[in-house]
């Protein structure tokens, strides 16, 4: 279970995708800075040098599990378990963001790659740790450990904690333990609240009821019950 630390890199996810055939399962790649950090839906991930966790983990042994899309939810549980040691009012915003109250502190991006011989998934995680100022577009919607607690954190120690928590939770998932679903239910942002969201470039309102055992978000829109797959909607804060 290697940890490869880079100073500057285009993307830790891309490094793993380019080199996964020579890396062992659960290899972690971190960096002080990414020049092309990625978020979900082709967004960029903003992070100042040496101030945050930039982290990717390789998964290339899936045992007999086939519903690997759920790994994003498993990863969100792992991050939540790590951050709740330090923060209160922390929630999982389906499918894979972590919020403090209603401000984003972490984003997660899963990517996959395969060839005739092998396949892999890389879990990319960005956690705001010691950065306290962000660009004007996101500053009011974003927070960090230091911004919340006015304390400086050792990033290397947090990376080790995160790696160990992820491996534990992923191993449980690959051995058919689905307790992460109940954990998300207990910590789901916006549950039983009226929220607005977009789908197919149209805006709607609905009430988040739950997630089901397949990881789909259950929303009540007027008298209709919707089961939403990851990536279909964006819940607005």
């Amino acid at each position: 279970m290697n940890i490869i630390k880079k100073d500057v890199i285009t993307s830790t996810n891309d490094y793993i995708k380019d080199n996964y055939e020579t890396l062992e399962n659960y290899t972690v790649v971190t960096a002080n800075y990414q020049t092309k950090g990625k978020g979900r839906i082709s967004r960029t991930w903003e992070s100042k040098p040496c101030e945050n966790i930039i982290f990717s983990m390789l998964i290339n042994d899936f045992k007999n599990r086939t519903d690997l899309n759920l790994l994003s939810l498993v990863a969100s549980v792992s991050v939540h378990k790590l951050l709740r040691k330090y923060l209160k009012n922390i929630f999982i915003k389906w499918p894979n963001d972590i919020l403090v109250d209603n401000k984003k502190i972490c984003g997660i991006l899963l990517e996959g790659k395969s060839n005739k011989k092998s396949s892999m998934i890389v879990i990319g995680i960005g956690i705001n740790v010691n950065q306290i100022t962000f660009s004007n577009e996101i500053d009011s919607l974003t927070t960090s450990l230091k911004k919340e607690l006015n304390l400086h954190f050792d990033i290397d120690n947090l990376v080790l904690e995160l790696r160990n928590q992820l491996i534990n939770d992923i191993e449980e998932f690959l051995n058919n333990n689905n307790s992460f679903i109940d954990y998300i239910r207990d910590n789901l942002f916006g549950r039983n609240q009226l929220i607005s969201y977009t789908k197919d470039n149209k805006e709607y309102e609905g009430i988040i009821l739950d997630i089901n055992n397949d990881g789909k978000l259950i929303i009540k829109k007027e008298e209709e019950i919707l089961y939403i797959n990851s990536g279909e909607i964006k819940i607005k804060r």
Side-chain angles (χ1 to χ4, degrees):
M1 292 177 284
N2 295 328
I3 296 181
I4 300 170
K5 186 170 182 178
K6 298 290 186 178
D7 183 23
V8 179
I9 198 172
T10 55
S11 160
T12 54
N13 268 26
D14 285 349
Y15 180 92
I16 289 181
K17 287 192 296 180
D18 291 342
N19 297 281
Y20 75 96
E21 291 178 294
T22 64
L23 301 175
E24 65 177 304
N25 192 38
Y26 293 136
T27 293
V28 169
V29 178
T30 68
N32 291 326
Y33 183 67
Q34 292 183 129
T35 59
K36 295 181 179 180
K38 294 179 288 186
R40 293 183 67 242
I41 321 176
S42 300
R43 298 187 183 95
T44 59
W45 180 258
E46 178 182 325
S47 180
K48 292 183 178 179
C50 302
E51 293 192 355
N52 302 311
I53 290 177
I54 300 170
F55 176 109
S56 295
M57 176 180 279
L58 169 66
I59 315 295
N60 60 16
D61 181 1
F62 309 128
K63 299 185 178 178
N64 295 316
R65 195 94 193 203
T66 58
D67 49 352
L68 298 174
N69 60 301
L70 295 178
L71 277 170
S72 63
L73 297 175
V74 176
S76 71
V77 167
S78 298
V79 175
H80 189 278
K81 288 177 178 177
L82 170 67
L83 295 180
R84 73 176 181 182
K85 299 176 184 177
Y86 309 100
L87 297 167
K88 297 180 180 179
N89 300 322
I90 183 168
F91 303 97
I92 296 171
K93 174 179 171 280
W94 183 94
N96 48 16
D97 287 341
I98 306 297
L99 307 183
V100 181
D101 292 320
N102 66 344
K103 293 185 177 182
K104 185 171 179 176
I105 194 170
C106 170
I108 298 168
L109 175 67
L110 258 68
E111 297 183 285
K113 191 172 181 179
S114 63
N115 57 33
K116 293 180 180 180
K117 296 181 179 179
S118 61
S119 60
M120 57 78 79
I121 288 175
V122 55
I123 301 175
I125 298 173
I127 302 176
N128 299 327
V129 179
N130 293 318
Q131 184 171 340
I132 57 174
T133 59
F134 298 84
S135 62
N136 291 336
E137 298 81 35
I138 66 170
D139 191 69
S140 64
L141 299 172
T142 306
T143 193
S144 68
L145 282 165
K146 188 171 184 177
K147 203 171 179 181
E148 293 294 318
L149 301 172
N150 197 29
L151 296 171
H152 185 87
F153 286 81
D154 186 304
I155 291 174
D156 289 339
N157 286 342
L158 289 175
V159 164
L160 289 175
E161 287 188 66
L162 177 59
R163 180 197 66 174
N164 294 340
Q165 187 67 63
L166 270 168
I167 291 172
N168 180 76
D169 293 337
I170 291 169
E171 280 291 311
E172 288 190 359
F173 167 75
L174 294 177
N175 286 299
N176 296 310
N177 183 337
N178 282 352
S179 60
F180 71 95
I181 293 288
D182 288 331
Y183 187 100
I184 293 173
R185 288 187 176 118
D186 291 339
N187 297 280
L188 183 62
F189 174 75
R191 189 175 184 184
N192 298 321
Q193 296 179 27
L194 181 67
I195 55 94
S196 61
Y197 63 96
T198 58
K199 182 179 180 182
D200 300 327
N201 295 318
K202 295 182 180 180
E203 189 167 307
Y204 303 93
E205 287 189 339
I207 295 174
I208 296 177
L209 299 180
D210 204 347
I211 64 170
N212 69 7
N213 291 334
D214 295 327
K216 295 178 181 177
L217 189 69
I218 305 172
I219 291 179
K220 182 178 181 182
K221 184 172 76 73
E222 298 175 346
E223 299 305 314
E224 185 180 6
I225 303 296
L226 305 177
Y227 296 85
I228 307 298
N229 285 310
S230 177
E232 290 186 1
I233 68 167
K234 174 189 174 185
I235 300 172
K236 292 190 172 182
R237 288 175 278 162

PDB file of all heavy atoms in Angstrom, residues 185-203:
ATOM      1  N   ARG A 185     -27.756   7.614   5.332  1.00  0.00           N
ATOM      2  CA  ARG A 185     -29.094   8.033   5.756  1.00  0.00           C
ATOM      3  C   ARG A 185     -29.037   8.887   7.019  1.00  0.00           C
ATOM      4  O   ARG A 185     -29.764   9.862   7.164  1.00  0.00           O
ATOM      5  CB  ARG A 185     -29.973   6.798   6.003  1.00  0.00           C
ATOM      6  CG  ARG A 185     -30.399   6.067   4.755  1.00  0.00           C
ATOM      7  CD  ARG A 185     -31.396   4.971   5.068  1.00  0.00           C
ATOM      8  NE  ARG A 185     -31.874   4.347   3.847  1.00  0.00           N
ATOM      9  CZ  ARG A 185     -31.710   3.067   3.531  1.00  0.00           C
ATOM     10  NH1 ARG A 185     -31.093   2.259   4.382  1.00  0.00           N
ATOM     11  NH2 ARG A 185     -32.170   2.591   2.397  1.00  0.00           N
ATOM     12  N   ASP A 186     -28.181   8.495   7.935  1.00  0.00           N
ATOM     13  CA  ASP A 186     -28.080   9.209   9.213  1.00  0.00           C
ATOM     14  C   ASP A 186     -27.411  10.568   9.079  1.00  0.00           C
ATOM     15  O   ASP A 186     -27.539  11.405   9.985  1.00  0.00           O
ATOM     16  CB  ASP A 186     -27.293   8.367  10.227  1.00  0.00           C
ATOM     17  CG  ASP A 186     -28.036   7.127  10.673  1.00  0.00           C
ATOM     18  OD1 ASP A 186     -29.274   7.088  10.531  1.00  0.00           O
ATOM     19  OD2 ASP A 186     -27.378   6.191  11.150  1.00  0.00           O
ATOM     20  N   ASN A 187     -26.695  10.784   7.969  1.00  0.00           N
ATOM     21  CA  ASN A 187     -25.917  12.018   7.820  1.00  0.00           C
ATOM     22  C   ASN A 187     -26.195  12.724   6.494  1.00  0.00           C
ATOM     23  O   ASN A 187     -25.355  13.491   6.009  1.00  0.00           O
ATOM     24  CB  ASN A 187     -24.425  11.696   7.927  1.00  0.00           C
ATOM     25  CG  ASN A 187     -24.044  11.144   9.283  1.00  0.00           C
ATOM     26  OD1 ASN A 187     -23.883  11.888  10.246  1.00  0.00           O
ATOM     27  ND2 ASN A 187     -23.923   9.826   9.380  1.00  0.00           N
ATOM     28  N   LEU A 188     -27.368  12.501   5.928  1.00  0.00           N
ATOM     29  CA  LEU A 188     -27.708  12.989   4.593  1.00  0.00           C
ATOM     30  C   LEU A 188     -28.114  14.455   4.637  1.00  0.00           C
ATOM     31  O   LEU A 188     -29.040  14.838   5.357  1.00  0.00           O
ATOM     32  CB  LEU A 188     -28.835  12.145   4.008  1.00  0.00           C
ATOM     33  CG  LEU A 188     -29.275  12.456   2.583  1.00  0.00           C
ATOM     34  CD1 LEU A 188     -28.132  12.240   1.596  1.00  0.00           C
ATOM     35  CD2 LEU A 188     -30.483  11.595   2.203  1.00  0.00           C
ATOM     36  N   PHE A 189     -27.432  15.250   3.856  1.00  0.00           N
ATOM     37  CA  PHE A 189     -27.758  16.674   3.768  1.00  0.00           C
ATOM     38  C   PHE A 189     -29.129  16.865   3.121  1.00  0.00           C
ATOM     39  O   PHE A 189     -29.436  16.284   2.092  1.00  0.00           O
ATOM     40  CB  PHE A 189     -26.693  17.399   2.934  1.00  0.00           C
ATOM     41  CG  PHE A 189     -27.012  18.839   2.667  1.00  0.00           C
ATOM     42  CD1 PHE A 189     -26.864  19.790   3.664  1.00  0.00           C
ATOM     43  CD2 PHE A 189     -27.464  19.250   1.420  1.00  0.00           C
ATOM     44  CE1 PHE A 189     -27.156  21.117   3.426  1.00  0.00           C
ATOM     45  CE2 PHE A 189     -27.760  20.568   1.165  1.00  0.00           C
ATOM     46  CZ  PHE A 189     -27.603  21.525   2.172  1.00  0.00           C
ATOM     47  N   GLY A 190     -29.961  17.709   3.737  1.00  0.00           N
ATOM     48  CA  GLY A 190     -31.234  18.085   3.149  1.00  0.00           C
ATOM     49  C   GLY A 190     -32.355  17.095   3.324  1.00  0.00           C
ATOM     50  O   GLY A 190     -33.433  17.277   2.760  1.00  0.00           O
ATOM     51  N   ARG A 191     -32.145  16.038   4.101  1.00  0.00           N
ATOM     52  CA  ARG A 191     -33.192  15.029   4.262  1.00  0.00           C
ATOM     53  C   ARG A 191     -34.431  15.636   4.905  1.00  0.00           C
ATOM     54  O   ARG A 191     -34.345  16.374   5.878  1.00  0.00           O
ATOM     55  CB  ARG A 191     -32.680  13.864   5.110  1.00  0.00           C
ATOM     56  CG  ARG A 191     -33.636  12.680   5.125  1.00  0.00           C
ATOM     57  CD  ARG A 191     -33.049  11.506   5.880  1.00  0.00           C
ATOM     58  NE  ARG A 191     -33.925  10.348   5.799  1.00  0.00           N
ATOM     59  CZ  ARG A 191     -33.707   9.203   6.430  1.00  0.00           C
ATOM     60  NH1 ARG A 191     -32.635   9.066   7.197  1.00  0.00           N
ATOM     61  NH2 ARG A 191     -34.540   8.206   6.304  1.00  0.00           N
ATOM     62  N   ASN A 192     -35.584  15.342   4.308  1.00  0.00           N
ATOM     63  CA  ASN A 192     -36.886  15.839   4.757  1.00  0.00           C
ATOM     64  C   ASN A 192     -37.014  17.349   4.622  1.00  0.00           C
ATOM     65  O   ASN A 192     -37.861  17.967   5.267  1.00  0.00           O
ATOM     66  CB  ASN A 192     -37.169  15.417   6.205  1.00  0.00           C
ATOM     67  CG  ASN A 192     -37.244  13.917   6.364  1.00  0.00           C
ATOM     68  OD1 ASN A 192     -37.773  13.217   5.510  1.00  0.00           O
ATOM     69  ND2 ASN A 192     -36.699  13.410   7.460  1.00  0.00           N
ATOM     70  N   GLN A 193     -36.189  17.937   3.762  1.00  0.00           N
ATOM     71  CA  GLN A 193     -36.255  19.377   3.522  1.00  0.00           C
ATOM     72  C   GLN A 193     -36.598  19.649   2.067  1.00  0.00           C
ATOM     73  O   GLN A 193     -36.266  18.865   1.181  1.00  0.00           O
ATOM     74  CB  GLN A 193     -34.921  20.041   3.867  1.00  0.00           C
ATOM     75  CG  GLN A 193     -34.532  19.944   5.329  1.00  0.00           C
ATOM     76  CD  GLN A 193     -33.199  20.581   5.603  1.00  0.00           C
ATOM     77  OE1 GLN A 193     -32.763  21.492   4.893  1.00  0.00           O
ATOM     78  NE2 GLN A 193     -32.513  20.103   6.634  1.00  0.00           N
ATOM     79  N   LEU A 194     -37.239  20.788   1.846  1.00  0.00           N
ATOM     80  CA  LEU A 194     -37.524  21.233   0.488  1.00  0.00           C
ATOM     81  C   LEU A 194     -36.241  21.783  -0.116  1.00  0.00           C
ATOM     82  O   LEU A 194     -35.597  22.666   0.453  1.00  0.00           O
ATOM     83  CB  LEU A 194     -38.603  22.313   0.497  1.00  0.00           C
ATOM     84  CG  LEU A 194     -39.019  22.857  -0.871  1.00  0.00           C
ATOM     85  CD1 LEU A 194     -39.735  21.786  -1.679  1.00  0.00           C
ATOM     86  CD2 LEU A 194     -39.911  24.087  -0.715  1.00  0.00           C
ATOM     87  N   ILE A 195     -35.857  21.239  -1.255  1.00  0.00           N
ATOM     88  CA  ILE A 195     -34.638  21.687  -1.932  1.00  0.00           C
ATOM     89  C   ILE A 195     -34.963  21.988  -3.394  1.00  0.00           C
ATOM     90  O   ILE A 195     -35.998  21.557  -3.928  1.00  0.00           O
ATOM     91  CB  ILE A 195     -33.515  20.626  -1.832  1.00  0.00           C
ATOM     92  CG1 ILE A 195     -33.978  19.255  -2.366  1.00  0.00           C
ATOM     93  CG2 ILE A 195     -33.051  20.470  -0.395  1.00  0.00           C
ATOM     94  CD1 ILE A 195     -33.671  18.987  -3.781  1.00  0.00           C
ATOM     95  N   SER A 196     -34.095  22.745  -4.030  1.00  0.00           N
ATOM     96  CA  SER A 196     -34.207  22.952  -5.479  1.00  0.00           C
ATOM     97  C   SER A 196     -33.082  22.189  -6.149  1.00  0.00           C
ATOM     98  O   SER A 196     -32.000  22.016  -5.588  1.00  0.00           O
ATOM     99  CB  SER A 196     -34.141  24.433  -5.830  1.00  0.00           C
ATOM    100  OG  SER A 196     -32.909  24.988  -5.425  1.00  0.00           O
ATOM    101  N   TYR A 197     -33.346  21.702  -7.344  1.00  0.00           N
ATOM    102  CA  TYR A 197     -32.344  20.946  -8.078  1.00  0.00           C
ATOM    103  C   TYR A 197     -32.581  21.129  -9.571  1.00  0.00           C
ATOM    104  O   TYR A 197     -33.648  21.593 -10.004  1.00  0.00           O
ATOM    105  CB  TYR A 197     -32.383  19.459  -7.711  1.00  0.00           C
ATOM    106  CG  TYR A 197     -33.670  18.746  -8.067  1.00  0.00           C
ATOM    107  CD1 TYR A 197     -33.792  18.038  -9.253  1.00  0.00           C
ATOM    108  CD2 TYR A 197     -34.770  18.787  -7.211  1.00  0.00           C
ATOM    109  CE1 TYR A 197     -34.964  17.391  -9.588  1.00  0.00           C
ATOM    110  CE2 TYR A 197     -35.953  18.146  -7.533  1.00  0.00           C
ATOM    111  CZ  TYR A 197     -36.042  17.443  -8.727  1.00  0.00           C
ATOM    112  OH  TYR A 197     -37.213  16.803  -9.047  1.00  0.00           O
ATOM    113  N   THR A 198     -31.563  20.821 -10.337  1.00  0.00           N
ATOM    114  CA  THR A 198     -31.698  20.902 -11.788  1.00  0.00           C
ATOM    115  C   THR A 198     -31.579  19.527 -12.399  1.00  0.00           C
ATOM    116  O   THR A 198     -30.803  18.680 -11.939  1.00  0.00           O
ATOM    117  CB  THR A 198     -30.627  21.824 -12.400  1.00  0.00           C
ATOM    118  OG1 THR A 198     -29.339  21.338 -12.045  1.00  0.00           O
ATOM    119  CG2 THR A 198     -30.793  23.252 -11.926  1.00  0.00           C
ATOM    120  N   LYS A 199     -32.364  19.304 -13.427  1.00  0.00           N
ATOM    121  CA  LYS A 199     -32.306  18.057 -14.176  1.00  0.00           C
ATOM    122  C   LYS A 199     -32.628  18.382 -15.631  1.00  0.00           C
ATOM    123  O   LYS A 199     -33.621  19.058 -15.915  1.00  0.00           O
ATOM    124  CB  LYS A 199     -33.308  17.042 -13.623  1.00  0.00           C
ATOM    125  CG  LYS A 199     -33.268  15.707 -14.339  1.00  0.00           C
ATOM    126  CD  LYS A 199     -34.261  14.723 -13.737  1.00  0.00           C
ATOM    127  CE  LYS A 199     -34.212  13.396 -14.473  1.00  0.00           C
ATOM    128  NZ  LYS A 199     -35.197  12.433 -13.949  1.00  0.00           N
ATOM    129  N   ASP A 200     -31.764  17.920 -16.536  1.00  0.00           N
ATOM    130  CA  ASP A 200     -31.933  18.215 -17.965  1.00  0.00           C
ATOM    131  C   ASP A 200     -32.060  19.712 -18.206  1.00  0.00           C
ATOM    132  O   ASP A 200     -32.883  20.172 -19.008  1.00  0.00           O
ATOM    133  CB  ASP A 200     -33.155  17.479 -18.529  1.00  0.00           C
ATOM    134  CG  ASP A 200     -33.048  15.980 -18.386  1.00  0.00           C
ATOM    135  OD1 ASP A 200     -31.918  15.468 -18.467  1.00  0.00           O
ATOM    136  OD2 ASP A 200     -34.091  15.325 -18.175  1.00  0.00           O
ATOM    137  N   ASN A 201     -31.239  20.482 -17.472  1.00  0.00           N
ATOM    138  CA  ASN A 201     -31.183  21.944 -17.598  1.00  0.00           C
ATOM    139  C   ASN A 201     -32.479  22.641 -17.196  1.00  0.00           C
ATOM    140  O   ASN A 201     -32.685  23.815 -17.529  1.00  0.00           O
ATOM    141  CB  ASN A 201     -30.799  22.350 -19.029  1.00  0.00           C
ATOM    142  CG  ASN A 201     -29.398  21.901 -19.392  1.00  0.00           C
ATOM    143  OD1 ASN A 201     -28.479  22.011 -18.590  1.00  0.00           O
ATOM    144  ND2 ASN A 201     -29.248  21.386 -20.606  1.00  0.00           N
ATOM    145  N   LYS A 202     -33.355  21.962 -16.475  1.00  0.00           N
ATOM    146  CA  LYS A 202     -34.568  22.571 -15.948  1.00  0.00           C
ATOM    147  C   LYS A 202     -34.532  22.522 -14.425  1.00  0.00           C
ATOM    148  O   LYS A 202     -33.972  21.606 -13.841  1.00  0.00           O
ATOM    149  CB  LYS A 202     -35.816  21.856 -16.474  1.00  0.00           C
ATOM    150  CG  LYS A 202     -36.002  21.990 -17.975  1.00  0.00           C
ATOM    151  CD  LYS A 202     -37.279  21.295 -18.422  1.00  0.00           C
ATOM    152  CE  LYS A 202     -37.480  21.428 -19.928  1.00  0.00           C
ATOM    153  NZ  LYS A 202     -38.727  20.746 -20.392  1.00  0.00           N
ATOM    154  N   GLU A 203     -35.128  23.524 -13.806  1.00  0.00           N
ATOM    155  CA  GLU A 203     -35.080  23.624 -12.353  1.00  0.00           C
ATOM    156  C   GLU A 203     -36.391  23.146 -11.751  1.00  0.00           C
ATOM    157  O   GLU A 203     -37.482  23.463 -12.238  1.00  0.00           O
ATOM    158  CB  GLU A 203     -34.795  25.065 -11.932  1.00  0.00           C
ATOM    159  CG  GLU A 203     -34.513  25.206 -10.442  1.00  0.00           C
ATOM    160  CD  GLU A 203     -33.930  26.551 -10.074  1.00  0.00           C
ATOM    161  OE1 GLU A 203     -32.914  26.950 -10.696  1.00  0.00           O
ATOM    162  OE2 GLU A 203     -34.481  27.192  -9.168  1.00  0.00           O
TER     163      GLU A 203
END
